[in-house]
Coordinates of all heavy atoms in Angstrom, one line a residue:
Chain N
P445 N -180.6 -37.7 -64.7 CA -179.7 -36.8 -64.0 C -180.1 -36.4 -62.6 O -179.3 -36.4 -61.7 CB -179.8 -35.5 -64.9 CG -180.2 -36.1 -66.3 CD -181.1 -37.2 -66.0
L446 N -181.4 -36.2 -62.4 CA -181.9 -35.8 -61.0 C -181.7 -37.0 -60.1 O -181.3 -36.8 -58.9 CB -183.4 -35.4 -61.1 CG -183.9 -34.5 -60.0 CD1 -183.2 -33.2 -60.0 CD2 -185.4 -34.3 -60.1
G447 N -182.0 -38.2 -60.6 CA -181.8 -39.4 -59.7 C -180.4 -39.6 -59.4 O -180.1 -40.0 -58.2
K448 N -179.5 -39.3 -60.3 CA -178.0 -39.5 -60.0 C -177.6 -38.4 -59.0 O -176.7 -38.7 -58.1 CB -177.2 -39.3 -61.3 CG -177.3 -40.6 -62.2 CD -176.5 -40.5 -63.4 CE -176.5 -41.8 -64.2 NZ -175.7 -41.8 -65.4
L449 N -178.2 -37.2 -59.1 CA -177.8 -36.1 -58.1 C -178.2 -36.6 -56.7 O -177.4 -36.6 -55.8 CB -178.5 -34.9 -58.5 CG -178.1 -33.6 -57.7 CD1 -176.7 -33.2 -58.1 CD2 -179.1 -32.5 -57.9
L450 N -179.5 -37.1 -56.6 CA -179.9 -37.5 -55.3 C -179.1 -38.8 -54.8 O -178.7 -38.9 -53.7 CB -181.4 -37.9 -55.4 CG -182.0 -38.6 -54.1 CD1 -182.0 -37.6 -52.9 CD2 -183.4 -39.0 -54.3
G451 N -178.9 -39.7 -55.8 CA -178.1 -40.9 -55.5 C -176.7 -40.5 -55.0 O -176.2 -41.1 -54.0
G452 N -176.1 -39.5 -55.5 CA -174.8 -39.0 -55.1 C -174.8 -38.5 -53.6 O -174.0 -38.9 -52.8
F453 N -175.9 -37.7 -53.3 CA -176.0 -37.2 -51.9 C -176.2 -38.4 -50.9 O -175.7 -38.4 -49.8 CB -177.1 -36.2 -51.8 CG -176.7 -34.8 -52.3 CD1 -177.1 -34.3 -53.5 CD2 -175.8 -34.1 -51.5 CE1 -176.7 -33.0 -53.9 CE2 -175.4 -32.8 -51.9 CZ -175.9 -32.3 -53.1
V454 N -177.0 -39.4 -51.4 CA -177.3 -40.5 -50.5 C -176.0 -41.3 -50.2 O -175.7 -41.7 -49.1 CB -178.4 -41.4 -51.1 CG1 -178.6 -42.7 -50.3 CG2 -179.7 -40.6 -51.1
A455 N -175.2 -41.5 -51.3 CA -173.9 -42.2 -51.2 C -173.0 -41.5 -50.2 O -172.4 -42.1 -49.4 CB -173.3 -42.3 -52.5
V456 N -173.0 -40.1 -50.3 CA -172.2 -39.4 -49.4 C -172.7 -39.5 -47.9 O -172.0 -39.6 -47.0 CB -172.1 -37.9 -49.8 CG1 -171.4 -37.0 -48.8 CG2 -171.3 -37.8 -51.1
A457 N -174.1 -39.4 -47.8 CA -174.7 -39.5 -46.5 C -174.4 -40.9 -45.9 O -174.2 -41.0 -44.7 CB -176.2 -39.4 -46.6
G458 N -174.2 -41.9 -46.8 CA -173.9 -43.3 -46.3 C -172.6 -43.3 -45.6 O -172.4 -44.1 -44.7
V459 N -171.6 -42.5 -46.0 CA -170.3 -42.4 -45.3 C -170.6 -42.0 -43.8 O -169.9 -42.5 -42.9 CB -169.4 -41.3 -46.0 CG1 -168.1 -41.1 -45.2 CG2 -169.1 -41.8 -47.4
A460 N -171.5 -41.0 -43.6 CA -171.8 -40.6 -42.3 C -172.4 -41.7 -41.5 O -172.2 -41.9 -40.3 CB -172.7 -39.4 -42.3
M461 N -173.2 -42.6 -42.1 CA -173.9 -43.7 -41.5 C -172.8 -44.7 -41.0 O -173.1 -45.5 -40.1 CB -174.8 -44.4 -42.5 CG -175.9 -43.6 -43.0 SD -177.1 -43.2 -41.8 CE -177.6 -41.6 -42.4
F462 N -171.7 -44.8 -41.7 CA -170.6 -45.6 -41.2 C -169.9 -45.0 -40.0 O -169.4 -45.7 -39.1 CB -169.5 -45.8 -42.3 CG -169.7 -47.0 -43.1 CD1 -170.6 -47.0 -44.2 CD2 -169.0 -48.1 -42.9 CE1 -170.8 -48.1 -44.9 CE2 -169.1 -49.3 -43.7 CZ -170.0 -49.3 -44.7
A463 N -169.8 -43.7 -39.9 CA -169.1 -43.0 -38.9 C -169.7 -43.2 -37.5 O -169.0 -43.5 -36.5 CB -169.0 -41.5 -39.2
L464 N -171.0 -43.1 -37.4 CA -171.7 -43.1 -36.1 C -171.5 -44.4 -35.4 O -171.0 -44.4 -34.3 CB -173.1 -42.7 -36.3 CG -173.9 -42.3 -35.1 CD1 -173.1 -41.4 -34.2 CD2 -175.2 -41.6 -35.5
P465 N -172.0 -45.5 -36.0 CA -171.8 -46.8 -35.2 C -170.3 -47.2 -35.0 O -170.0 -47.8 -34.0 CB -172.5 -47.9 -36.2 CG -172.6 -47.2 -37.5 CD -172.7 -45.7 -37.3
T466 N -169.5 -46.7 -35.9 CA -168.0 -47.0 -35.7 C -167.6 -46.4 -34.3 O -167.1 -47.1 -33.5 CB -167.2 -46.4 -36.8 OG1 -167.6 -47.0 -38.0 CG2 -165.7 -46.6 -36.6
G467 N -168.0 -45.1 -34.1 CA -167.6 -44.5 -32.9 C -168.2 -45.1 -31.7 O -167.5 -45.3 -30.7
I468 N -169.5 -45.5 -31.8 CA -170.2 -46.1 -30.7 C -169.5 -47.5 -30.3 O -169.2 -47.7 -29.1 CB -171.7 -46.3 -31.0 CG1 -172.3 -45.0 -31.2 CG2 -172.4 -47.2 -30.0 CD1 -173.7 -45.0 -31.9
F469 N -169.3 -48.3 -31.3 CA -168.7 -49.7 -31.0 C -167.3 -49.5 -30.5 O -166.9 -50.2 -29.6 CB -168.8 -50.5 -32.3 CG -170.0 -51.2 -32.5 CD1 -170.9 -50.8 -33.6 CD2 -170.5 -52.2 -31.7 CE1 -172.1 -51.5 -33.8 CE2 -171.7 -52.9 -31.9 CZ -172.5 -52.5 -32.9
V470 N -166.6 -48.6 -31.1 CA -165.2 -48.4 -30.7 C -165.1 -48.1 -29.2 O -164.4 -48.8 -28.5 CB -164.5 -47.3 -31.6 CG1 -163.2 -46.8 -30.9 CG2 -164.3 -47.7 -33.0
S471 N -165.8 -47.1 -28.8 CA -165.8 -46.7 -27.4 C -166.4 -47.8 -26.5 O -165.8 -48.2 -25.5 CB -166.5 -45.4 -27.1 OG -167.8 -45.5 -27.3
G472 N -167.5 -48.4 -27.0 CA -168.1 -49.5 -26.2 C -167.2 -50.7 -26.0 O -167.0 -51.1 -24.8
F473 N -166.6 -51.2 -27.1 CA -165.7 -52.4 -26.9 C -164.5 -52.1 -26.2 O -164.0 -52.9 -25.4 CB -165.4 -52.9 -28.3 CG -166.4 -53.8 -28.9 CD1 -167.3 -53.4 -29.8 CD2 -166.5 -55.1 -28.4 CE1 -168.3 -54.3 -30.3 CE2 -167.5 -56.0 -28.9 CZ -168.4 -55.5 -29.8
N474 N -163.9 -50.9 -26.4 CA -162.7 -50.5 -25.7 C -162.9 -50.6 -24.2 O -162.1 -51.1 -23.4 CB -162.2 -49.1 -26.1 CG -161.4 -49.2 -27.4 OD1 -161.2 -50.3 -28.0 ND2 -161.0 -48.1 -27.9
E475 N -164.0 -50.0 -23.7 CA -164.3 -50.0 -22.3 C -164.4 -51.4 -21.8 O -163.9 -51.7 -20.7 CB -165.7 -49.3 -22.1 CG -165.5 -47.7 -22.2 CD -166.9 -47.1 -22.3 OE1 -167.9 -47.7 -21.8 OE2 -167.0 -46.0 -22.9
H476 N -165.1 -52.3 -22.5 CA -165.4 -53.6 -22.0 C -164.2 -54.5 -22.1 O -164.0 -55.3 -21.2 CB -166.5 -54.3 -22.8 CG -167.8 -54.1 -22.1 ND1 -168.5 -52.9 -22.2 CD2 -168.4 -54.9 -21.2 CE1 -169.6 -53.0 -21.4 NE2 -169.6 -54.2 -20.9
I477 N -163.4 -54.4 -23.1 CA -162.2 -55.2 -23.2 C -161.2 -54.9 -22.1 O -160.6 -55.8 -21.5 CB -161.5 -55.1 -24.6 CG1 -162.3 -55.9 -25.6 CG2 -160.1 -55.5 -24.6 CD1 -162.0 -55.5 -27.0
K478 N -161.1 -53.6 -21.7 CA -160.3 -53.3 -20.5 C -160.9 -54.0 -19.3 O -160.1 -54.6 -18.6 CB -160.4 -51.7 -20.3 CG -159.2 -51.0 -20.9 CD -159.4 -49.5 -20.6 CE -159.0 -48.7 -21.8 NZ -159.6 -47.4 -21.9
I479 N -162.2 -53.9 -19.1 CA -162.8 -54.5 -17.8 C -162.5 -56.0 -17.8 O -162.0 -56.6 -16.9 CB -164.3 -54.2 -17.8 CG1 -164.5 -52.7 -17.7 CG2 -165.0 -55.0 -16.7 CD1 -166.0 -52.3 -18.0
Y480 N -162.7 -56.6 -19.0 CA -162.6 -58.1 -19.2 C -161.1 -58.5 -18.9 O -160.9 -59.5 -18.2 CB -163.0 -58.4 -20.6 CG -162.9 -59.9 -21.0 CD1 -163.8 -60.8 -20.5 CD2 -161.9 -60.3 -21.8 CE1 -163.7 -62.1 -20.9 CE2 -161.8 -61.6 -22.2 CZ -162.7 -62.5 -21.7 OH -162.6 -63.9 -22.1
K481 N -160.2 -57.7 -19.4 CA -158.8 -58.1 -19.2 C -158.3 -57.9 -17.7 O -157.5 -58.6 -17.2 CB -157.9 -57.2 -20.1 CG -157.8 -57.7 -21.5 CD -156.7 -57.0 -22.2 CE -156.5 -57.6 -23.6 NZ -155.6 -56.8 -24.4
N482 N -158.9 -56.9 -17.1 CA -158.5 -56.6 -15.7 C -159.1 -57.6 -14.7 O -158.6 -57.7 -13.6 CB -158.8 -55.2 -15.3 CG -158.1 -54.2 -16.2 OD1 -157.1 -54.6 -16.8 ND2 -158.6 -52.9 -16.2
E483 N -160.2 -58.3 -15.1 CA -160.8 -59.1 -14.1 C -159.9 -60.1 -13.4 O -160.0 -60.3 -12.2 CB -161.9 -60.0 -14.9 CG -163.3 -59.4 -14.7 CD -164.3 -60.1 -15.5 OE1 -164.0 -61.3 -15.9 OE2 -165.4 -59.6 -15.7
D484 N -159.0 -60.7 -14.2 CA -158.1 -61.8 -13.6 C -156.9 -61.2 -12.9 O -156.1 -61.9 -12.2 CB -157.6 -62.7 -14.7 CG -158.7 -63.2 -15.6 OD1 -159.9 -63.3 -15.1 OD2 -158.5 -63.4 -16.8
K485 N -156.7 -59.9 -13.1 CA -155.3 -59.4 -12.8 C -155.2 -58.7 -11.4 O -154.1 -58.3 -11.1 CB -154.9 -58.5 -13.9 CG -154.4 -59.2 -15.2 CD -153.9 -58.2 -16.2 CE -153.8 -58.9 -17.6 NZ -153.7 -57.9 -18.6
N486 N -156.3 -58.4 -10.7 CA -156.2 -57.7 -9.5 C -155.2 -56.5 -9.6 O -154.3 -56.4 -8.9 CB -155.7 -58.6 -8.3 CG -156.8 -59.4 -7.8 OD1 -157.5 -60.0 -8.5 ND2 -156.9 -59.4 -6.4
M487 N -155.6 -55.6 -10.5 CA -154.6 -54.6 -10.8 C -154.5 -53.6 -9.7 O -155.5 -53.3 -8.9 CB -155.1 -53.8 -12.0 CG -155.0 -54.8 -13.2 SD -154.8 -53.8 -14.8 CE -153.2 -53.2 -14.6
K488 N -153.3 -53.0 -9.5 CA -153.1 -51.9 -8.6 C -152.9 -50.6 -9.3 O -152.6 -50.7 -10.5 CB -151.8 -52.2 -7.7 CG -152.1 -53.3 -6.7 CD -150.7 -53.8 -6.1 CE -150.9 -54.9 -5.2 NZ -149.7 -55.5 -4.7

Side-chain angles (χ1 to χ4, degrees):
Chain N
L446 205 62
K448 285 183 173 180
L449 190 70
L450 176 64
F453 277 107
V454 173
V456 171
V459 173
M461 299 292 149
F462 266 81
L464 196 44
T466 300
I468 293 166
F469 277 110
V470 165
S471 67
F473 275 104
N474 279 356
E475 285 165 27
H476 265 81
I477 281 164
K478 263 181 219 153
I479 294 164
Y480 179 75
K481 278 194 172 168
N482 295 342
E483 264 177 14
D484 312 330
K485 283 184 194 164
N486 278 49
M487 294 205 69
K488 284 167 187 174

